Amino acid sequence: MDTLWLKPEEISVAARLLREGQLVAFPTETVYGLGANAWSEEAVAGIFLAKGRPQDNPLIVHIAGRAQVETLAADIPPEAEKLMERFWPGPLTLLFPKKAEVPELVCAGLETVAIRQPAHPLALELIRQAGVPLAAPSANLSGRPSPTCAEHVWEDLAGRIAAILDGGPVGVGVESTVVDLLGPEPMILRPGGITREELEEVLGRPVLLDPALLGAEERPRSPGMKYRHYAPAAPLEVLDGPERELIWQTILQEATPDTGLLLSEEGAAYLAGRCPGQFLVLAPLNQPEKAAQRLYSALRTMDKAGVKRILAEAWPRQGLGLALMNRMEKAAGGQCRRVEVQQYE
Ligand code: TXA
Ligand code: MG
């Protein structure tokens, strides 16, 4: 299949393709999505095929306005109203009990449907012109880092989808926060663009993290979180520990010329001139939002540079740092490596 590369002014072509049941990648404020008409089981099946996505991983349905929620959700909890009011359009996905008409494939057989209203003007206009909600996962091949520009989508999906709507690089750089309000306590199933702190402020009560996110053996409530995800080709290790300098020292000891180094500005300054390896600087340590914006692109750059191994510095897990660390740990295949001075008695 020839994949069309569409400019923003060709948005009506993208909308028509979607109405015809085809797949179109489009920009959102978080990452590029791969959209299909959410009401069409056949169109949605195409998404799983194009991405090589496991069928037990449900999709997020993207809507253009609050009124569309009622067509998909059987019930809207009061706390969902509050969060929609404050954070939509934006990088927040909420779970609702699904209406029977929502195709099973969208929800991977679950009783809930995940919905979000993206903040990107092209995404909103595309959903409006298509006239239907769009089921859309990130527009990468399954297992690869999510795309933060149209070129990344092209690398992964050219020849497999009808079109890419190019809206330039995205803003947030990591995916939306997935929140479940249907249990006794609000719970984050996937950290993302809206922080835990922001959610707690609006809800006025603690928001839990799915225990599976904290490395527990448990089965994650968000099926997608169980896969090794966002992964570059070279094995990646994230170094964490109570002392920053010890992390940098460890990198200094272990790096070789074909090691990729994913660093903070502070780390790069410490290591410059005395550490081999290919440096990639994300941001200053107190700007996790900037690091998040660059992470996926950095992982793809590492692949192209052909590094044999990647060492990454851990970031404080506050604000967007929680989502950033979650994605880095996923890319590492699960966990961080702790570096600590052993305390002997
Ligand atoms: O920012 C985003 O959310 C991007 C853009 C394109 O909107 N989309 C995205 O979709 O990240 P995807 O498919 O890559 O990730 C969707 C996540 C997966 O972890 C999936 O398991 C979870 O949401 N999810 C979807 N429906 C769910 C449901 N009913 N219950 C629990 N988790 C669900
Ligand atoms: Mg994804």
Side-chain angles (χ1 to χ4, degrees), residues 93-95 112 178-183 185-189 221:
T93 296
L94 297 171
L95 301 192
T112 51
V178 179
V179 174
D180 182 357
L181 294 168
L182 304 174
E185 324 260 10
M187 188 180 280
I188 293 176
L189 306 190
R221 288 171 175 76

Side-chain angles (χ1 to χ4, degrees), residues 244 248 261-269 279-295 298 313-316 320 324 328:
R244 189 57 46 181
W248 297 336
L261 304 178
L262 220 48
L263 302 168
S264 65
E265 271 183 17
E266 293 87 340
F279 284 44
L280 221 154
V281 184
L282 291 177
L285 278 170
N286 65 0
Q287 289 181 38
E289 53 296 327
K290 194 164 162 193
Q293 202 178 25
R294 294 189 172 164
L295 176 69
E313 199 181 329
W315 290 67
L320 230 71
L324 174 68
M328 279 199 185

Side-chain angles (χ1 to χ4, degrees), residues 229-240:
H229 236 152
Y230 320 114
L236 180 149
E237 284 177 74
V238 189
L239 305 181
D240 198 1

